[in-house]
């Protein structure tokens, strides 16, 4: 799977282990990742908001028929975040959690953790919580 600039990554509705592994690896390696459908205006807005705060998010594009809830569940199934060396807080969450049922694209990950969609990202920004989270994740050099 590649970032948006290098070619569109594809994640089908029934996510394969390799594809989910690629998304998981990117989320673990990059401090800020936005996952969304190709050409989605909300992905563009999330990216521009993060760029405006000084972060440079990695953008992963998935197929139009990709299921965001399946992606969230697959990413949460990992028990150890190898890049951070900490236990994933979502690993013990049941498959039918509220977050998984209401997952939508774009999905924003900061510091290896799912923040939520564009609505949650904007709420964090308005409340003044976004910059401290970005600093803690190592996405800002301030």
């Amino acid at each position: 799977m590649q970032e948006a600039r290098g070619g569109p990554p594809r994640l089908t509705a029934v996510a394969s282990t390799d594809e989910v592994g690629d998304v998981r690896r990117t989320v673990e390696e990059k401090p800020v990742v936005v996952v969304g459908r190709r050409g989605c205006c909300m992905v563009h807005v999330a990216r521009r908001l993060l760029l405006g705060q000084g972060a440079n998010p990695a953008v992963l594009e998935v197929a139009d028929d990709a299921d965001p809830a399946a992606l969230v569940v697959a990413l949460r199934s990992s028990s150890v975040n190898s890049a951070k060396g900490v236990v994933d807080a979502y690993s013990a969450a049941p498959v039918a959690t509220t977050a998984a049922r209401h997952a939508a694209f774009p999905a924003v990950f900061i510091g290896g953790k799912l923040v939520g969609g564009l609505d949650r990202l904007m709420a964090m920004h308005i409340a003044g919580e976004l910059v401290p989270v970005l600093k803690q994740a190592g996405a800002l050099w301030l």
Side-chain angles (χ1 to χ4, degrees):
M1 189 171 282
Q2 300 173 348
E3 292 183 27
R5 300 283 183 234
R10 296 290 176 207
L11 185 65
T12 59
V14 178
S16 74
T17 306
D18 292 338
E19 292 168 330
V20 171
D22 289 342
V23 173
R24 180 180 291 127
R25 196 169 22 262
T26 303
V27 167
E28 291 174 350
E29 292 173 357
K30 307 279 185 175
V32 182
V33 180
V34 179
V35 180
R37 292 190 172 92
R38 184 180 181 133
C40 176
C41 63
M42 291 190 298
V43 171
H44 176 74
V45 170
R47 181 176 175 272
R48 294 295 299 183
L49 175 61
L50 290 163
L51 284 170
Q53 300 305 304
N56 187 18
V59 177
L60 296 178
E61 295 176 341
V62 295
D64 291 337
D65 61 347
D67 180 12
L71 176 66
V72 169
V73 169
L75 289 173
R76 287 183 176 183
S77 67
S78 172
S79 61
V80 176
N81 184 336
S82 60
K84 306 286 188 260
V86 297
V87 175
D88 186 357
Y90 301 114
S91 62
V95 172
T97 63
T98 304
R101 284 190 306 237
H102 297 291
F105 289 132
V108 180
F109 295 86
I110 300 177
K113 296 178 183 174
L114 176 65
V115 171
L118 180 59
D119 56 341
R120 178 69 181 124
L121 186 67
M122 292 181 82
M124 288 176 68
H125 173 61
I126 291 168
E129 300 169 356
L130 183 57
V131 170
V133 172
L134 290 170
K135 284 181 184 178
Q136 184 178 11
L140 298 179
W141 294 95
L142 302 175

